[in-house]
């Protein structure tokens, strides 16, 4: 099971930006699709963005499209989520996830039937 460590959360004001990172160990990082999800208390975990293995085709939830950018640096075993124009509705715990199986071709973002490993989460709070 992969160990995933998120960083970069915090408290910001509406309109500000944040960049989250997710780092994992091992030498197979590039072979796995990666994703960001978020969750608020009392609600299900919500898909935010996903990036394919290797060069990484990207997918976004409609709620963040045009504001958030997912990327990966395979040399550093790190995935990023650049979040711009944040608003209070973006407040949540953000989790990174990695496909357990390598080389999955993504048809749609946030496919629920995919087995993933998860990080511990990082809190993002956006004040109005």
């Amino acid at each position: 099971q992969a160990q995933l460590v998120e960083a970069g959360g915090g408290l910001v004001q509406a309109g500000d930006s944040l960049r989250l990172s997710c780092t994992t160990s091992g030498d197979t990082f590039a072979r796995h699709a990666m994703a960001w999800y978020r969750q608020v208390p009392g609600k299900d975990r919500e898909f935010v963005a996903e990036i394919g293995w290797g060069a990484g085709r990207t997918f976004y939830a409609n709620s963040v499209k045009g504001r958030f950018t997912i990327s990966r640096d395979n040399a550093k075993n790190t995935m990023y989520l650049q979040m711009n124009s944040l608003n209070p509705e973006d407040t949540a715990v953000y989790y990174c996830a990695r496909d357990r199986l390598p080389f999955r071709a993504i048809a749609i973002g946030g496919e629920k039937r995919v087995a993933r490993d998860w990080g511990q989460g990082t809190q993002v709070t956006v004040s109005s």
Side-chain angles (χ1 to χ4, degrees):
Q1 186 170 352
Q3 300 297 314
L4 306 171
V5 179
E6 300 102 334
L11 172 63
V12 297
Q13 293 186 330
D16 285 350
S17 298
L18 272 178
R19 188 176 79 157
L20 306 182
S21 65
C22 173
T23 303
T24 183
S25 59
D27 59 0
T28 63
F29 176 82
R31 304 175 189 176
H32 296 260
M34 304 282 295
W36 288 99
Y37 283 73
R38 65 188 182 186
Q39 189 171 24
V40 298
K43 292 190 176 182
D44 292 337
R45 195 169 295 187
E46 174 190 29
F47 168 72
V48 175
E50 190 163 26
I51 186 164
W53 65 273
R57 184 182 174 191
T58 57
F59 302 81
Y60 296 93
N62 288 333
S63 59
V64 306
K65 200 172 294 183
R67 300 187 298 122
F68 291 11
T69 302
I70 189 172
S71 61
R72 64 190 300 158
D73 185 336
N74 293 329
K76 296 182 178 179
N77 281 12
T78 301
M79 173 181 67
Y80 303 97
L81 184 68
Q82 177 66 43
M83 305 185 293
N84 298 330
S85 302
L86 285 161
N87 60 61
E89 290 70 38
D90 296 315
T91 295
V93 177
Y94 283 71
Y95 297 90
C96 75
R98 192 190 90 156
D99 278 17
R100 287 184 179 171
L101 296 180
F103 307 126
R104 179 173 64 92
I106 302 173
I108 59 171
E111 172 59 56
K112 294 182 179 181
R113 293 171 292 180
V114 173
R116 297 183 172 94
D117 293 319
W118 298 88
Q120 81 288 351
T122 186
Q123 177 70 46
V124 172
T125 303
V126 184
S127 64
S128 58

